[in-house]
Amino acid sequence: MKYHWILSHLVIAMTAEPTGIPVLILKEGTQRTTGRDALRSNLLAARAIAEMIKTTYGPKGMDKMLVDALGDVTITNDGATILDKAEIQHPAAKMLVQVAKSQDSEVGDGTKRAVIFAGELLRYAEELLDKNIHPTVIISGYRIAMEEALKVLDQIAEPIDINSEELLKKVARTSLTSKAVHDAREFFADIAVKAVKQVVEKRGDKYYVDLDNIQIIKKYGGALLDSMLVYGIVLDKEVVHPGMPRRVENARIALLDAALEIEKPEITAKINITSPELIKAFLDKEAEMLKEMVDKIASVGANVVVCQKGIDEVAQHFLAKKGILAVRRAKRSDLEKLERATGGRIVSNIEDLTPEDLGYAALVEERKIGEDKMVFIEGCKNPRSVSIVIRGGLERLVDEAERSMRDALSAVADALRDGKIIPGGGATEIELAKYIRRLATKIGGKEQLAIEAFAKAIEGLTVSLIENAGLDPIDMIMKLRAAHEKDSGKYLSIDLATGDLVNMKEKGVIEPVSILANAIKAGTEAATIILRIDDVIAASKLEKGKEETGKKPGEEEKEKED
């Protein structure tokens, strides 16, 4: 009976031996796809993702509306957001989602470029597979071409003056051109450059930017141009007591990681009270302890308190009598940003508070933004952390404006870190394709075909820009190839509004070199991983009833048999 059970729950995965005994290795319900069928399935799934993203690429790209299971709507053309919110099921397609996430975490922009490039590589790989060229040969050619592309990219890149705000604004504007905030891109670019320049640090010969030091707050209401940069921190909290001042100039700020209240003891205690006088004495002692805490804060010269934990109502009363503005339940991350912005230090024990621990701000004020009250801490002497408040008349627009601002901040930060820029608008991709084609003729053999396919894939990025603008891609690519054959042509690309050839550097369309370099590396790696897969073994999914019991298929039958 036991053998019958084993045979019923296994699948024959190989042909029977000459002796007539079958080789059984996979469980019932397991699906296995091998060889060319497995490869084609993966290629189609990955290319489908790239085609979905392709229409959003460039200044003339379209937006996607994503509706989740709860009915929440997201309207965006941000590649990372689209792939994150779209519930992708196919395992090969998920690899391109990971490419987008990797690009987003590494350089913060260029996610669509990485995914589209991987899709183009796979499209041309499929054509080579139809010519019976082995995947290993294609992978080898792609890797040779990638190394050449990165080498040429480094040669094309030009150093920048990191002190030139105008140049950095061009980088930010280029990033914002394809976003929903296109009409306010000058204003947003100016905010992005000022914010990044404020938090940048020089470590040795390199510049380091931690974008976590830039706080972004979204508030529905107003217009995009009502957005603002605050040289300090904005707390999404309100002043805790009506008797406290709403505005404090020349603020001396105490940053507390301690509660302004009497905490319960860690051990269980019982107090026997036999008369009303004992209750009064107990409450008076509690009030006295809270008053001592407030007196300590006032004695060091603090006139503003930002507390990570709670503030007792009695303590609030004493603070209000001293004219101290207080905020409670602030987030730890906000407290750390305040530490960098105001020059203060977070204190965990009020007894240890000294005047040197206090931070400074020219102004602390509670303001009403939209329907909410917020506390603005601004005018810090040399803030190493700043805030951006983003406004907009439509909630979806505010969300998209935040994503756009993050891309612009990332682009400026990348430019400072790289110290090099390249022309955008598809000009660099055409120049790279030219050099890769020249390499292909030197390599020869079947790898030559793969290297040429790589060149066409890079050109595919520029083709996507042209197609999304409604122009004729074949005519435009021929014009671009001819123009780039001249030594002075490396900056040339298509003006998507007119269809004319323009100098992208002169037009101010420039971007950090790391965005394209990372997209080429990530796209190539994803494509080569998918091309190496020749066998897909998918386990059977749990039946609904089994999921509820937590048992796998076959376990219940096995229990009965035993």
Side-chain angles (χ1 to χ4, degrees):
M1 208 63 176
K2 179 76 76 177
Y3 293 136
H4 284 300
W5 179 86
I6 292 172
L7 287 171
S8 67
H9 285 78
L10 294 175
V11 170
I12 299 176
M14 296 177 63
T15 55
E17 292 292 319
T19 56
I21 302 170
V23 178
L24 311 168
I25 57 171
L26 298 177
K27 193 173 281 188
E28 182 184 12
T30 301
Q31 293 181 335
R32 184 181 182 193
T33 314
T34 59
R36 189 60 62 89
D37 290 339
L39 189 51
R40 286 200 183 284
S41 170
N42 290 337
L43 289 173
L44 284 171
R47 281 182 55 198
I49 294 294
E51 291 295 327
M52 179 177 76
I53 294 295
K54 191 184 285 188
T55 57
T56 68
Y57 186 49
K60 304 287 186 179
M62 306 297 280
D63 290 351
K64 304 286 182 190
M65 179 184 282
L66 303 159
V67 185
D68 66 13
L70 299 174
D72 289 338
V73 176
T74 303
I75 299 172
T76 183
N77 74 348
D78 182 73
T81 305
I82 293 168
L83 292 176
D84 183 49
K85 291 188 178 290
E87 296 182 0
I88 309 298
Q89 292 297 319
H90 197 284
K94 284 181 180 178
M95 290 185 194
L96 292 198
V97 177
Q98 290 168 358
V99 165
K101 287 181 179 177
S102 166
Q103 178 82 4
D104 195 45
S105 62
E106 191 69 22
V107 292
D109 200 4
T111 50
K112 287 178 281 191
R113 197 176 308 189
V115 172
I116 293 167
F117 179 58
E120 291 293 298
L121 287 174
L122 293 171
R123 177 157 77 98
Y124 291 112
E126 193 170 10
E127 293 178 5
L128 295 176
L129 290 168
D130 290 338
K131 295 175 183 175
N132 290 322
I133 296 175
H134 198 275
T136 306
V137 176
I138 300 171
I139 291 166
S140 175
Y142 279 0
R143 285 183 175 156
I144 292 168
M146 181 188 75
E147 289 170 10
E148 177 70 7
L150 295 175
K151 186 171 74 175
V152 172
L153 193 58
D154 192 53
Q155 294 167 0
I156 292 172
E158 298 178 0
I160 62 166
D161 176 11
I162 62 103
N163 296 313
S164 171
E165 281 199 13
E166 190 53 42
L167 196 66
L168 294 174
K169 280 181 191 175
K170 289 177 181 177
V171 171
R173 274 200 304 269
T174 301
S175 174
L176 291 166
T177 301
S178 62
K179 308 297 182 185
V181 297
H182 182 275
D183 294 336
R185 69 185 187 280
E186 291 284 345
F187 180 67
F188 270 52
D190 185 53
I191 289 177
V193 170
K194 286 178 179 174
V196 172
K197 291 271 283 184
Q198 195 61 47
V199 302
V200 67
E201 298 175 23
K202 190 169 185 180
R203 298 181 181 176
D205 296 332
K206 295 283 186 181
Y207 287 90
Y208 175 79
V209 181
D210 184 358
L211 293 180
D212 287 340
N213 291 322
I214 301 175
Q215 178 191 37
I216 297 181
I217 292 179
K218 303 179 293 183
K219 280 298 167 189
Y220 165 66
L224 287 173
L225 295 178
D226 293 328
S227 302
M228 66 185 87
L229 172 64
V230 177
Y231 287 95
I233 298 299
V234 179
L235 298 175
D236 201 356
K237 301 284 181 183
E238 54 184 284
V239 177
V240 295
H241 193 278
M244 290 178 178
R246 264 34 185 186
R247 178 185 172 94
V248 176
E249 295 181 2
N250 296 319
R252 304 274 291 162
I253 306 165
L255 306 174
L256 302 180
D257 181 20
L260 278 173
E261 52 192 11
I262 307 300
E263 296 181 350
K264 292 180 181 178
E266 291 182 6
I267 58 171
T268 304
K270 185 184 286 188
I271 300 172
N272 291 321
I273 295 175
T274 56
S275 68
E277 288 78 12
L278 288 175
I279 295 176
K280 185 175 184 304
F282 182 78
L283 295 174
D284 287 347
K285 184 62 180 176
E286 191 176 67
E288 185 185 333
M289 292 172 69
L290 291 168
K291 188 173 185 301
E292 286 174 4
M293 290 183 189
V294 174
D295 287 344
K296 172 64 178 177
I297 291 168
S299 69
V300 298
N303 53 12
V304 174
V305 173
V306 180
C307 186
Q308 187 182 342
K309 297 178 181 175
I311 300 178
D312 190 277
E313 288 182 4
V314 176
Q316 291 176 28
H317 167 72
F318 288 130
L319 287 166
K321 285 182 72 175
K322 297 274 188 185
I324 297 174
L325 183 155
V327 177
R328 64 178 170 182
R329 307 284 181 204
K331 290 187 287 189
R332 177 72 189 189
S333 59
D334 287 347
L335 217 60
E336 289 170 356
K337 289 185 178 74
L338 270 172
E339 192 175 40
R340 288 180 59 83
T342 64
R345 281 198 293 269
I346 299 171
V347 176
S348 299
N349 188 343
I350 294 171
E351 293 300 318
D352 297 335
L353 188 66
T354 65
E356 290 73 31
D357 294 326
L358 302 181
Y360 173 81
L363 178 66
V364 176
E365 185 178 24
E366 183 187 77
R367 299 175 196 162
K368 192 166 185 181
I369 302 292
E371 297 179 354
D372 303 318
K373 290 178 181 177
M374 305 171 77
V375 175
F376 284 70
I377 301 170
E378 58 187 8
C380 305
K381 286 176 182 174
N382 185 26
R384 310 310 302 164
S385 189
V386 295
S387 295
I388 298 171
V389 181
I390 293 180
R391 309 296 308 281
L394 186 68
E395 193 173 347
R396 310 292 173 215
L397 180 61
V398 175
D399 292 339
E400 185 65 358
E402 183 210 8
R403 288 188 281 267
S404 303
M405 179 59 79
R406 290 193 187 279
D407 284 352
L409 292 169
S410 298
V412 176
D414 292 336
L416 289 172
R417 281 193 289 253
D418 299 347
K420 288 183 174 182
I421 52 156
I422 52 174
T428 302
E429 287 89 333
I430 299 293
E431 188 73 4
L432 289 177
K434 177 182 80 174
Y435 281 97
I436 292 167
R437 281 197 180 89
R438 289 178 185 174
L439 174 70
T441 56
K442 296 176 186 174
I443 297 293
K446 289 183 178 180
E447 283 182 342
Q448 175 181 345
L449 297 174
I451 295 169
E452 286 174 350
F454 191 97
K456 286 192 281 186
I458 282 192
E459 273 185 349
L461 293 168
T462 307
V463 170
S464 297
L465 289 174
I466 295 167
E467 285 177 342
N468 290 342
L471 301 173
D472 180 10
I474 297 173
D475 182 38
M476 296 297 169
I477 286 294
M478 291 300 107
K479 279 168 65 175
L480 279 173
R481 283 182 184 172
H484 276 258
E485 285 302 321
K486 302 171 186 174
D487 292 335
S488 60
K490 69 176 183 178
Y491 301 119
L492 296 178
S493 192
I494 301 294
D495 185 328
L496 298 179
T498 63
D500 299 328
L501 288 175
V502 291
N503 186 311
M504 286 293 158
K505 186 181 178 184
E506 290 176 2
K507 201 176 178 185
V509 182
I510 54 176
E511 59 187 12
V513 67
S514 60
I515 290 179
L516 181 55
N518 207 77
I520 289 172
K521 285 188 281 189
T524 307
E525 286 167 4
T528 53
I529 286 172
I530 290 170
L531 285 170
R532 288 179 67 87
I533 298 168
D534 76 335
D535 204 339
V536 178
I537 302 168
S540 59
K541 293 182 180 178
L542 292 175
E543 296 171 21
K544 193 171 181 183
K546 311 299 180 188
E547 287 176 358
E548 290 170 359
T549 60
K551 290 176 179 158
K552 296 179 182 177
E555 283 188 6
E556 289 184 357
E557 289 88 338
K558 185 178 178 182
E559 286 176 3
K560 288 176 186 176
E561 196 62 47
D562 290 341

